Protein backbone atom coordinates (compact mmCIF):
# COMPACT_ATOMS: atom_id res chain seq x y z
CA UNK A 1 0.00 0.00 0.00
CA UNK A 2 1.91 3.12 1.26
CA UNK A 3 0.67 6.68 1.58
CA UNK A 4 2.19 9.75 -0.01
CA UNK A 5 1.50 13.42 0.54
CA UNK A 6 2.73 16.74 -0.78
CA UNK A 7 1.98 20.35 0.00
CA UNK A 8 3.09 23.36 -2.02
CA UNK A 9 2.36 26.88 -0.78
CA UNK A 10 1.71 29.61 -3.30
CA UNK A 11 2.02 32.49 -0.83
CA UNK A 12 4.41 33.09 2.05
CA UNK A 13 1.71 33.59 4.69
CA UNK A 14 1.29 29.89 5.40
CA UNK A 15 5.01 29.03 5.40
CA UNK A 16 5.34 28.84 9.20
CA UNK A 17 2.51 26.27 9.19
CA UNK A 18 3.91 23.99 6.49
CA UNK A 19 5.35 21.41 8.87
CA UNK A 20 2.21 21.31 10.97
CA UNK A 21 0.06 20.56 7.94
CA UNK A 22 2.48 17.94 6.60
CA UNK A 23 2.62 16.24 10.01
CA UNK A 24 -1.19 15.99 10.11
CA UNK A 25 -1.29 14.64 6.55
CA UNK A 26 1.32 11.99 7.39
CA UNK A 27 -0.49 10.97 10.57
CA UNK A 28 -3.72 10.41 8.62
CA UNK A 29 -1.89 8.22 6.11
CA UNK A 30 -0.79 5.84 8.87
CA UNK A 31 -3.54 3.44 7.76
CA UNK A 32 -1.77 3.09 4.42
CA UNK A 33 1.73 2.73 5.86
CA UNK A 34 2.54 2.10 9.52
CA UNK A 35 6.06 0.69 9.04
CA UNK A 36 8.12 3.83 8.54
CA UNK A 37 7.73 7.43 7.53
CA UNK A 38 9.81 10.19 6.06
CA UNK A 39 9.55 13.66 4.65
CA UNK A 40 11.45 16.43 2.94
CA UNK A 41 10.90 20.08 3.78
CA UNK A 42 12.12 22.87 1.52
CA UNK A 43 12.97 25.86 3.70
CA UNK A 44 14.95 29.04 3.21
CA UNK A 45 18.27 29.15 1.37
CA UNK A 46 20.64 30.53 4.02
CA UNK A 47 23.69 30.61 1.77
CA UNK A 48 25.18 27.26 2.71
CA UNK A 49 24.57 23.72 1.54
CA UNK A 50 22.32 21.74 3.88
CA UNK A 51 23.65 18.22 4.20
CA UNK A 52 21.19 15.99 6.03
CA UNK A 53 23.09 13.09 7.61
CA UNK A 54 22.22 10.34 10.03
CA UNK A 55 24.24 8.07 12.28
CA UNK A 56 25.90 8.09 15.68
CA UNK A 57 28.03 10.95 17.04
CA UNK A 58 26.79 13.63 14.69
CA UNK A 59 27.54 16.52 17.10
CA UNK A 60 31.12 15.34 17.46
CA UNK A 61 31.35 14.96 13.70
CA UNK A 62 30.14 18.53 13.16
CA UNK A 63 32.60 19.82 15.78
CA UNK A 64 35.46 17.91 14.15
CA UNK A 65 34.58 19.38 10.75
CA UNK A 66 33.97 22.83 12.32
CA UNK A 67 30.45 23.01 10.85
CA UNK A 68 27.21 24.39 12.25
CA UNK A 69 24.75 21.58 12.77
CA UNK A 70 21.10 21.21 13.80
CA UNK A 71 20.50 17.83 15.35
CA UNK A 72 17.03 16.32 15.23
CA UNK A 73 16.79 12.89 16.78
CA UNK A 74 18.87 10.47 14.66
CA UNK A 75 19.52 13.01 11.92
CA UNK A 76 21.45 16.27 11.71
CA UNK A 77 21.62 19.02 9.13
CA UNK A 78 25.19 20.16 8.54
CA UNK A 79 25.50 23.69 7.16
CA UNK A 80 28.39 23.46 4.72
CA UNK A 81 29.88 26.43 2.82
CA UNK A 82 29.84 25.53 -0.87
CA UNK A 83 33.62 25.93 -1.03
CA UNK A 84 34.06 23.11 1.51
CA UNK A 85 31.65 20.58 -0.01
CA UNK A 86 34.31 18.38 -1.55
CA UNK A 87 36.33 18.24 1.64
CA UNK A 88 33.25 17.45 3.75
CA UNK A 89 32.04 14.80 1.28
CA UNK A 90 35.43 13.12 1.46
CA UNK A 91 35.43 13.19 5.25
CA UNK A 92 31.93 11.70 5.41
CA UNK A 93 32.81 9.00 2.89
CA UNK A 94 35.53 7.78 5.25
CA UNK A 95 33.04 7.33 8.09
CA UNK A 96 30.93 4.24 7.29
CA UNK A 97 28.58 4.86 10.25
CA UNK A 98 27.33 8.11 8.76
CA UNK A 99 24.81 8.14 5.90
CA UNK A 100 24.15 11.21 3.78
CA UNK A 101 20.36 11.34 3.47
CA UNK A 102 20.00 14.45 1.36
CA UNK A 103 21.73 17.53 0.07
CA UNK A 104 20.53 20.89 -1.10
CA UNK A 105 20.34 24.62 -0.59
CA UNK A 106 16.82 24.29 0.75
CA UNK A 107 15.95 20.63 1.27
CA UNK A 108 16.12 18.84 4.60
CA UNK A 109 15.21 15.15 4.55
CA UNK A 110 14.27 12.92 7.48
CA UNK A 111 13.09 9.31 7.70
CA UNK A 112 12.81 6.64 10.34
CA UNK A 113 11.11 3.39 11.22
CA UNK A 114 7.94 3.82 13.26
CA UNK A 115 4.39 5.11 13.12
CA UNK A 116 4.15 8.28 11.01
CA UNK A 117 2.91 10.49 13.86
CA UNK A 118 5.78 9.29 16.08
CA UNK A 119 8.37 9.83 13.35
CA UNK A 120 7.03 13.35 12.68
CA UNK A 121 7.13 14.12 16.43
CA UNK A 122 10.69 12.79 16.88
CA UNK A 123 11.97 15.13 14.18
CA UNK A 124 9.80 18.07 15.26
CA UNK A 125 8.10 18.33 11.87
CA UNK A 126 5.19 20.40 13.21
CA UNK A 127 7.50 23.33 13.97
CA UNK A 128 9.26 23.31 10.58
CA UNK A 129 8.61 26.16 8.16
CA UNK A 130 9.01 26.03 4.42
CA UNK A 131 7.55 26.66 1.00
CA UNK A 132 6.75 23.03 0.20
CA UNK A 133 7.32 19.50 1.33
CA UNK A 134 6.55 15.88 0.53
CA UNK A 135 6.15 12.86 2.74
CA UNK A 136 5.63 9.12 2.76
CA UNK A 137 4.22 6.43 5.01
CA UNK A 138 5.42 2.95 4.16
CA UNK A 139 3.81 -0.46 4.13
CA UNK A 140 6.81 -2.54 3.08
CA UNK A 141 6.42 -4.98 0.20
CA UNK A 142 9.64 -5.14 -1.81
CA UNK A 143 12.30 -4.90 0.90
CA UNK A 144 12.86 -4.89 4.65
CA UNK A 145 11.48 -2.41 7.19
CA UNK A 146 14.60 -0.36 7.86
CA UNK A 147 15.51 3.30 7.90
CA UNK A 148 17.31 2.75 4.59
CA UNK A 149 14.09 1.33 3.18
CA UNK A 150 12.07 4.38 4.22
CA UNK A 151 11.25 7.16 1.77
CA UNK A 152 11.96 9.81 0.52
CA UNK A 153 14.96 8.89 -1.61
CA UNK A 154 17.10 11.69 -2.89
CA UNK A 155 17.54 12.01 -6.64
CA UNK A 156 20.05 14.85 -6.57
CA UNK A 157 20.64 18.18 -4.84
CA UNK A 158 17.35 19.67 -3.63
CA UNK A 159 15.43 16.79 -5.13
CA UNK A 160 13.80 13.66 -3.78
CA UNK A 161 11.19 11.05 -4.55
CA UNK A 162 8.37 9.30 -2.72
CA UNK A 163 6.59 6.34 -4.25
CA UNK A 164 3.42 4.35 -3.74
CA UNK A 165 3.51 1.10 -5.63
CA UNK A 166 6.03 -1.54 -6.56
CA UNK A 167 8.35 -1.93 -9.52
CA UNK A 168 8.81 -5.36 -11.06
CA UNK A 169 11.94 -4.68 -13.11
CA UNK A 170 14.02 -3.00 -10.42
CA UNK A 171 16.68 -5.71 -10.31
CA UNK A 172 17.47 -5.44 -14.01
CA UNK A 173 17.33 -1.66 -13.83
CA UNK A 174 19.62 -1.63 -10.78
CA UNK A 175 22.26 -3.65 -12.68
CA UNK A 176 22.03 -1.20 -15.57
CA UNK A 177 22.38 1.80 -13.25
CA UNK A 178 25.34 0.22 -11.43
CA UNK A 179 27.06 0.10 -14.82
CA UNK A 180 26.23 3.80 -15.15
CA UNK A 181 28.10 4.46 -11.91
CA UNK A 182 25.31 4.48 -9.31
CA UNK A 183 25.72 2.80 -5.92
CA UNK A 184 22.80 1.34 -3.98
CA UNK A 185 22.36 1.02 -0.22
CA UNK A 186 19.32 -1.31 -0.26
CA UNK A 187 17.30 -3.85 -2.23
CA UNK A 188 14.51 -1.28 -2.39
CA UNK A 189 12.72 -0.65 -5.70
CA UNK A 190 12.15 3.06 -5.04
CA UNK A 191 15.86 3.64 -4.55
CA UNK A 192 16.24 2.31 -8.10
CA UNK A 193 13.54 4.69 -9.38
CA UNK A 194 15.33 7.60 -7.67
CA UNK A 195 18.66 6.64 -9.23
CA UNK A 196 16.94 6.20 -12.58
CA UNK A 197 15.60 9.77 -12.48
CA UNK A 198 19.02 11.05 -11.37
CA UNK A 199 20.63 9.21 -14.28
CA UNK A 200 18.15 10.58 -16.84
CA UNK A 201 18.73 14.11 -15.60
CA UNK A 202 22.51 13.55 -15.60
CA UNK A 203 22.12 12.58 -19.26
CA UNK A 204 20.38 15.87 -19.97
CA UNK A 205 16.68 15.25 -19.39
CA UNK A 206 14.59 17.80 -17.54
CA UNK A 207 12.67 16.45 -14.53
CA UNK A 208 9.58 16.26 -16.71
CA UNK A 209 11.55 14.50 -19.44
CA UNK A 210 13.00 12.04 -16.94
CA UNK A 211 9.52 11.20 -15.66
CA UNK A 212 8.27 10.69 -19.21
CA UNK A 213 11.22 8.38 -19.91
CA UNK A 214 10.25 6.46 -16.78
CA UNK A 215 6.89 5.62 -18.32
CA UNK A 216 8.79 3.48 -20.81
CA UNK A 217 11.53 2.06 -18.60
CA UNK A 218 9.84 1.47 -15.25
CA UNK A 219 7.66 -1.63 -15.21
CA UNK A 220 5.21 -1.84 -12.35
CA UNK A 221 2.81 0.23 -10.33
CA UNK A 222 3.59 3.69 -9.16
CA UNK A 223 2.36 7.02 -8.13
CA UNK A 224 5.42 9.24 -7.75
CA UNK A 225 5.73 12.61 -6.10
CA UNK A 226 9.05 14.35 -6.74
CA UNK A 227 10.06 17.30 -4.58
CA UNK A 228 12.36 19.86 -6.19
CA UNK A 229 13.99 23.12 -5.13
CA UNK A 230 11.11 25.11 -6.58
CA UNK A 231 8.12 22.80 -6.39
CA UNK A 232 6.88 19.31 -6.90
CA UNK A 233 5.80 16.98 -9.67
CA UNK A 234 3.33 14.08 -9.74
CA UNK A 235 3.19 11.08 -12.08
CA UNK A 236 0.90 8.05 -12.07
CA UNK A 237 1.53 4.88 -14.05
CA UNK A 238 -0.59 4.36 -17.19
CA UNK A 239 -2.85 1.83 -15.45
CA UNK A 240 -3.47 4.11 -12.44
CA UNK A 241 -3.06 1.20 -10.11
CA UNK A 242 -2.34 3.40 -7.10
CA UNK A 243 -4.67 6.12 -5.87
CA UNK A 244 -4.05 9.84 -6.02
CA UNK A 245 -6.04 12.95 -5.19
CA UNK A 246 -5.06 16.55 -5.73
CA UNK A 247 -6.56 19.74 -4.40
CA UNK A 248 -5.84 23.37 -5.18
CA UNK A 249 -6.84 26.75 -3.78
CA UNK A 250 -5.44 30.25 -4.29
CA UNK A 251 -3.13 29.55 -1.33
CA UNK A 252 -1.79 26.04 -1.97
CA UNK A 253 -1.67 22.85 -4.02
CA UNK A 254 -1.81 19.54 -2.19
CA UNK A 255 -1.39 15.90 -3.06
CA UNK A 256 -2.62 12.89 -1.09
CA UNK A 257 -2.97 9.17 -1.70
CA UNK A 258 -6.48 9.70 -0.39
CA UNK A 259 -8.69 12.71 0.14
CA UNK A 260 -8.62 11.95 3.87
CA UNK A 261 -5.06 13.29 4.02
CA UNK A 262 -6.25 16.71 2.85
CA UNK A 263 -9.33 17.29 4.99
CA UNK A 264 -7.72 19.60 7.55
CA UNK A 265 -6.03 21.96 5.09
CA UNK A 266 -7.29 25.54 5.39
CA UNK A 267 -10.01 26.28 2.84
CA UNK A 268 -10.36 22.66 1.69
CA UNK A 269 -14.15 23.01 1.53
CA UNK A 270 -13.78 25.42 -1.37
CA UNK A 271 -10.77 23.76 -3.01
CA UNK A 272 -10.84 22.27 -6.49
CA UNK A 273 -10.40 18.54 -5.90
CA UNK A 274 -9.53 16.13 -8.70
CA UNK A 275 -7.85 12.88 -9.57
CA UNK A 276 -4.65 13.12 -11.63
CA UNK A 277 -4.87 11.36 -14.99
CA UNK A 278 -2.74 8.36 -15.95
CA UNK A 279 0.72 8.87 -17.47
CA UNK A 280 0.51 12.65 -17.23
CA UNK A 281 3.16 14.75 -15.50
CA UNK A 282 1.75 17.44 -13.20
CA UNK A 283 4.22 20.03 -11.96
CA UNK A 284 4.02 23.11 -9.79
CA UNK A 285 6.85 25.60 -9.66
CA UNK A 286 7.44 28.83 -7.84
CA UNK A 287 9.96 31.58 -8.53
CA UNK A 288 13.20 30.38 -6.94
CA UNK B 1 -37.89 15.13 10.09
CA UNK B 2 -34.46 13.73 9.35
CA UNK B 3 -31.90 11.83 11.35
CA UNK B 4 -28.42 13.34 11.66
CA UNK B 5 -25.20 11.45 12.17
CA UNK B 6 -22.13 13.63 12.59
CA UNK B 7 -18.98 11.68 11.75
CA UNK B 8 -16.91 14.27 13.60
CA UNK B 9 -18.16 12.50 16.75
CA UNK B 10 -19.72 9.22 15.56
CA UNK B 11 -17.80 6.35 13.95
CA UNK B 12 -18.41 4.69 10.60
CA UNK B 13 -19.62 1.66 12.53
CA UNK B 14 -22.14 3.82 14.41
CA UNK B 15 -23.51 5.02 11.09
CA UNK B 16 -23.65 1.65 9.36
CA UNK B 17 -24.94 -0.10 12.47
CA UNK B 18 -27.83 2.36 12.76
CA UNK B 19 -28.71 1.93 9.09
CA UNK B 20 -28.52 -1.87 9.27
CA UNK B 21 -30.86 -1.93 12.26
CA UNK B 22 -33.69 -0.28 10.34
CA UNK B 23 -36.68 -2.53 9.59
CA UNK B 24 -38.09 -2.54 6.04
CA UNK B 25 -41.10 -0.50 7.15
CA UNK B 26 -39.12 2.13 9.06
CA UNK B 27 -40.46 5.66 9.13
CA UNK B 28 -36.97 7.07 9.78
CA UNK B 29 -36.44 7.43 6.05
CA UNK B 30 -34.14 10.45 5.70
CA UNK B 31 -30.59 10.42 7.07
CA UNK B 32 -28.05 13.24 6.87
CA UNK B 33 -24.40 12.26 7.32
CA UNK B 34 -22.27 15.24 8.32
CA UNK B 35 -18.48 15.63 8.16
CA UNK B 36 -17.75 12.54 6.07
CA UNK B 37 -14.17 13.82 5.52
CA UNK B 38 -13.38 11.20 2.91
CA UNK B 39 -13.90 8.27 5.24
CA UNK B 40 -14.25 4.81 3.77
CA UNK B 41 -17.17 2.35 3.70
CA UNK B 42 -19.91 4.88 4.48
CA UNK B 43 -23.54 3.76 4.16
CA UNK B 44 -22.70 0.24 3.00
CA UNK B 45 -25.01 -2.77 2.88
CA UNK B 46 -28.29 -0.96 3.56
CA UNK B 47 -31.43 -3.03 2.96
CA UNK B 48 -34.05 -0.55 4.17
CA UNK B 49 -35.63 1.77 1.57
CA UNK B 50 -34.26 4.96 3.12
CA UNK B 51 -32.50 8.02 1.73
CA UNK B 52 -28.99 8.76 3.01
CA UNK B 53 -27.38 12.09 2.15
CA UNK B 54 -23.63 12.37 2.65
CA UNK B 55 -22.75 16.03 3.08
CA UNK B 56 -19.31 16.12 1.45
CA UNK B 57 -16.66 13.87 -0.10
CA UNK B 58 -16.76 10.14 0.62
CA UNK B 59 -13.85 7.67 0.62
CA UNK B 60 -13.68 4.12 -0.74
CA UNK B 61 -16.62 1.71 -1.26
CA UNK B 62 -19.31 4.21 -0.35
CA UNK B 63 -22.79 2.64 -0.62
CA UNK B 64 -21.24 -0.71 -1.47
CA UNK B 65 -23.57 -3.71 -1.47
CA UNK B 66 -26.55 -1.39 -1.45
CA UNK B 67 -29.72 -3.43 -1.09
CA UNK B 68 -32.36 -0.83 -1.81
CA UNK B 69 -31.48 2.53 -0.28
CA UNK B 70 -31.00 5.84 -2.07
CA UNK B 71 -27.55 7.18 -1.21
CA UNK B 72 -26.53 10.65 -2.35
CA UNK B 73 -22.92 11.81 -2.11
CA UNK B 74 -22.90 15.60 -2.21
CA UNK B 75 -19.27 15.66 -3.31
CA UNK B 76 -16.75 13.22 -4.79
CA UNK B 77 -16.60 9.50 -4.09
CA UNK B 78 -13.44 7.40 -3.82
CA UNK B 79 -12.70 3.99 -5.30
CA UNK B 80 -15.50 1.47 -5.71
CA UNK B 81 -18.58 3.59 -5.06
CA UNK B 82 -21.70 1.35 -5.12
CA UNK B 83 -19.52 -1.71 -5.64
CA UNK B 84 -21.65 -4.84 -5.77
CA UNK B 85 -24.90 -2.87 -5.45
CA UNK B 86 -27.92 -5.18 -5.66
CA UNK B 87 -30.76 -2.65 -5.78
CA UNK B 88 -31.55 0.98 -5.03
CA UNK B 89 -30.01 4.21 -6.26
CA UNK B 90 -26.63 5.80 -5.66
CA UNK B 91 -25.97 9.32 -6.85
CA UNK B 92 -22.62 11.12 -6.81
CA UNK B 93 -22.87 14.86 -7.34
CA UNK B 94 -19.15 15.27 -8.04
CA UNK B 95 -16.58 12.88 -9.54
CA UNK B 96 -16.07 9.21 -8.78
CA UNK B 97 -12.69 7.53 -8.57
CA UNK B 98 -11.76 4.16 -10.05
CA UNK B 99 -13.99 1.09 -10.25
CA UNK B 100 -17.32 2.87 -9.74
CA UNK B 101 -20.15 0.33 -9.72
CA UNK B 102 -17.74 -2.61 -9.83
CA UNK B 103 -19.49 -6.00 -9.99
CA UNK B 104 -22.87 -4.37 -9.24
CA UNK B 105 -25.88 -6.59 -9.94
CA UNK B 106 -28.72 -4.09 -9.95
CA UNK B 107 -29.96 -0.62 -9.11
CA UNK B 108 -29.01 2.71 -10.66
CA UNK B 109 -25.67 4.51 -10.19
CA UNK B 110 -25.64 8.13 -11.34
CA UNK B 111 -22.38 10.10 -11.40
CA UNK B 112 -22.82 13.74 -12.31
CA UNK B 113 -19.14 14.44 -12.84
CA UNK B 114 -16.45 12.18 -14.29
CA UNK B 115 -15.69 8.61 -13.33
CA UNK B 116 -12.07 7.53 -13.60
CA UNK B 117 -10.57 4.22 -14.67
CA UNK B 118 -12.43 0.90 -14.69
CA UNK B 119 -15.93 2.31 -14.26
CA UNK B 120 -18.38 -0.59 -14.27
CA UNK B 121 -15.67 -3.26 -14.18
CA UNK B 122 -17.30 -6.71 -14.16
CA UNK B 123 -20.77 -5.15 -13.83
CA UNK B 124 -23.51 -7.75 -13.62
CA UNK B 125 -26.78 -5.93 -14.18
CA UNK B 126 -26.50 -2.40 -12.78
CA UNK B 127 -27.43 0.67 -14.80
CA UNK B 128 -24.67 3.29 -14.63
CA UNK B 129 -25.14 6.80 -16.01
CA UNK B 130 -22.15 9.15 -16.03
CA UNK B 131 -22.72 12.83 -16.76
CA UNK B 132 -19.08 13.45 -17.61
CA UNK B 133 -16.43 11.12 -19.01
CA UNK B 134 -15.09 7.72 -17.95
CA UNK B 135 -11.45 6.61 -17.76
CA UNK B 136 -9.64 3.72 -19.37
CA UNK B 137 -10.76 0.08 -19.15
CA UNK B 138 -14.33 1.00 -18.30
CA UNK B 139 -16.84 -1.87 -18.51
CA UNK B 140 -13.93 -4.34 -18.47
CA UNK B 141 -15.44 -7.87 -18.48
CA UNK B 142 -18.89 -6.31 -18.09
CA UNK B 143 -21.45 -9.11 -17.99
CA UNK B 144 -24.86 -7.46 -17.87
CA UNK B 145 -26.49 -4.07 -17.37
CA UNK B 146 -25.85 -0.75 -19.08
CA UNK B 147 -23.18 1.93 -18.95
CA UNK B 148 -24.22 5.30 -20.34
CA UNK B 149 -21.62 8.03 -20.75
CA UNK B 150 -22.63 11.56 -21.69
CA UNK B 151 -19.02 12.59 -22.23
CA UNK B 152 -16.07 10.61 -23.59
CA UNK B 153 -14.69 7.14 -22.85
CA UNK B 154 -11.00 6.41 -22.30
CA UNK B 155 -8.88 3.63 -23.80
CA UNK B 156 -10.02 0.02 -24.12
CA UNK B 157 -13.70 0.56 -23.49
CA UNK B 158 -15.53 -2.72 -22.91
CA UNK B 159 -12.47 -4.95 -23.03
CA UNK B 160 -13.49 -8.65 -22.90
CA UNK B 161 -17.12 -7.62 -22.53
CA UNK B 162 -19.96 -10.15 -22.25
CA UNK B 163 -23.55 -8.95 -22.58
CA UNK B 164 -23.57 -5.46 -21.06
CA UNK B 165 -24.65 -2.59 -23.32
CA UNK B 166 -22.56 0.56 -23.55
CA UNK B 167 -23.80 3.96 -24.77
CA UNK B 168 -21.39 6.84 -25.32
CA UNK B 169 -22.29 10.30 -26.56
CA UNK B 170 -18.77 11.65 -26.99
CA UNK B 171 -15.61 10.10 -28.35
CA UNK B 172 -14.20 6.69 -27.50
CA UNK B 173 -10.39 6.70 -27.26
CA UNK B 174 -10.28 3.01 -28.22
CA UNK B 175 -12.36 -0.13 -27.92
CA UNK B 176 -11.03 -3.10 -25.96
CA UNK B 177 -10.75 -6.68 -27.17
CA UNK B 178 -14.02 -8.05 -28.56
CA UNK B 179 -15.90 -4.76 -28.08
CA UNK B 180 -17.52 -3.36 -31.22
CA UNK B 181 -19.92 -0.62 -32.21
CA UNK B 182 -23.45 -1.88 -32.75
CA UNK B 183 -26.52 -0.58 -34.45
CA UNK B 184 -28.65 1.79 -32.36
CA UNK B 185 -32.23 0.67 -32.90
CA UNK B 186 -35.49 2.23 -31.72
CA UNK B 187 -35.76 -0.17 -28.78
CA UNK B 188 -32.30 0.91 -27.61
CA UNK B 189 -33.19 4.59 -27.99
CA UNK B 190 -36.42 4.18 -26.04
CA UNK B 191 -34.77 2.28 -23.19
CA UNK B 192 -31.89 4.76 -23.11
CA UNK B 193 -34.31 7.72 -23.00
CA UNK B 194 -36.05 6.12 -20.02
CA UNK B 195 -32.75 5.57 -18.21
CA UNK B 196 -31.61 9.15 -18.89
CA UNK B 197 -34.89 10.41 -17.47
CA UNK B 198 -34.58 8.16 -14.41
CA UNK B 199 -31.07 9.49 -13.87
CA UNK B 200 -32.26 13.10 -14.08
CA UNK B 201 -30.77 13.91 -17.50
CA UNK B 202 -34.16 14.66 -19.06
CA UNK B 203 -33.02 17.11 -21.71
CA UNK B 204 -30.41 14.80 -23.24
CA UNK B 205 -31.28 13.33 -26.64
CA UNK B 206 -31.02 9.53 -26.65
CA UNK B 207 -30.44 9.74 -30.39
CA UNK B 208 -27.08 11.42 -29.86
CA UNK B 209 -25.46 8.26 -28.43
CA UNK B 210 -23.63 5.39 -30.09
CA UNK B 211 -23.98 1.85 -28.85
CA UNK B 212 -21.18 -0.64 -28.17
CA UNK B 213 -21.23 -4.25 -27.10
CA UNK B 214 -19.68 -7.67 -27.44
CA UNK B 215 -18.70 -9.20 -30.76
CA UNK B 216 -18.96 -12.56 -28.91
CA UNK B 217 -15.71 -13.85 -30.35
CA UNK B 218 -13.99 -14.46 -27.02
CA UNK B 219 -16.71 -16.48 -25.30
CA UNK B 220 -15.01 -19.78 -26.01
CA UNK B 221 -11.33 -20.40 -26.24
CA UNK B 222 -10.00 -20.33 -29.77
CA UNK B 223 -6.30 -20.57 -30.35
CA UNK B 224 -6.36 -17.68 -32.81
CA UNK B 225 -7.58 -15.45 -29.98
CA UNK B 226 -4.80 -16.41 -27.56
CA UNK B 227 -3.26 -12.96 -27.86
CA UNK B 228 -6.44 -11.39 -26.58
CA UNK B 229 -6.65 -13.33 -23.32
Amino acid sequence: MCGIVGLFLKRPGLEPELGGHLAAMLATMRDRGPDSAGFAVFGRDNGTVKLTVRGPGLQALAARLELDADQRDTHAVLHVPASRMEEVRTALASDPAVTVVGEGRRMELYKEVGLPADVAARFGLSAMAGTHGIGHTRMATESAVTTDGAHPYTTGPDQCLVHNGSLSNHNALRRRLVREGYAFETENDTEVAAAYLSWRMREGDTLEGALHAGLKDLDGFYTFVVGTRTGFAVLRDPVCCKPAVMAETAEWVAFGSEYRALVDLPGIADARVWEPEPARVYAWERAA
Amino acid sequence: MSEHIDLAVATTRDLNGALHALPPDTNRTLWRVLNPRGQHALAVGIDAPVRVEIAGHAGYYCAGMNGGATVVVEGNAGNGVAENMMAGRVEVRGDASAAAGATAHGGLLVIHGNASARCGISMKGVDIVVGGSVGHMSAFMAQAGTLTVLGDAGDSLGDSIYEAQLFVRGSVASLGADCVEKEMRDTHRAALAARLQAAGFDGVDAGSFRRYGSARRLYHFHVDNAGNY
Side-chain angles (χ1 to χ4, degrees), chain A residues 41-43 45 50 104-108 131-132 158 229:
Chain A
V41 169
F42 294 79
D45 182 347
K50 297 174 181 176
R105 291 279 180 169
R106 303 185 56 200
M107 180 179 79
E108 299 180 16
T131 53
H132 56 291
D158 276 320
R229 187 172 57 89

Side-chain angles (χ1 to χ4, degrees), chain A residues 32 238-244 257-260 263-264 268 271 273-275 278, chain B residues 36-40 57-60 76-77 79 95-98 116-118 136:
Chain A
R32 299 188 62 86
V239 179
C240 278
C241 188
K242 296 298 174 184
S257 289
E258 299 176 23
Y259 175 73
R260 285 189 302 151
V263 291
D264 286 321
I268 185 71
V273 178
W274 79 100
E275 185 170 319
Chain B
R37 293 161 60 87
Q39 291 191 66
H40 302 322
H57 302 310
Y60 295 175
N76 301 330
N79 284 5
D95 298 332
S97 188
S116 62
R118 300 178 279 279
H136 62 270

Side-chain angles (χ1 to χ4, degrees), chain A residues 41-60:
Chain A
V41 169
F42 294 79
R44 294 235 168 271
D45 182 347
N46 56 16
T48 58
V49 177
K50 297 174 181 176
L51 213 51
T52 309
V53 295
R54 72 165 201 273
L58 297 176
Q59 287 295 348

Side-chain angles (χ1 to χ4, degrees), chain B residues 9-120:
Chain B
V9 289
T11 66
T12 305
R13 187 160 292 195
D14 294 336
L15 168 68
N16 289 330
L19 293 168
H20 294 168
L22 295 172
D25 58 349
T26 180
N27 58 8
R28 301 162 71 193
T29 54
L30 178 57
W31 293 70
R32 290 283 299 166
V33 180
L34 308 176
N35 293 304
R37 293 161 60 87
Q39 291 191 66
H40 302 322
L42 299 178
V44 298
I46 311 170
D47 288 327
V50 298
R51 179 182 172 91
V52 181
E53 298 170 347
I54 296 173
H57 302 310
Y60 295 175
Y61 314 126
C62 181
M65 302 177 284
N66 186 28
T70 295
V71 179
V72 179
V73 180
E74 297 171 356
N76 301 330
N79 284 5
V81 64
E83 53 119 19
N84 215 58
M85 172 159 61
M86 304 303 286
R89 179 188 179 104
V90 175
E91 195 160 331
V92 179
R93 294 273 162 79
D95 298 332
S97 188
T103 74
H105 291 247
L108 174 64
L109 169 60
V110 182
I111 297 159
H112 288 263
N114 301 314
S116 62
R118 300 178 279 279
C119 179

Side-chain angles (χ1 to χ4, degrees), chain A residues 70 87 111 120 152 173 220 225 248:
Chain A
D70 298 319
E87 168 213 337
K111 53 184 175 181
L173 206 51
V225 177
E248 182 167 18

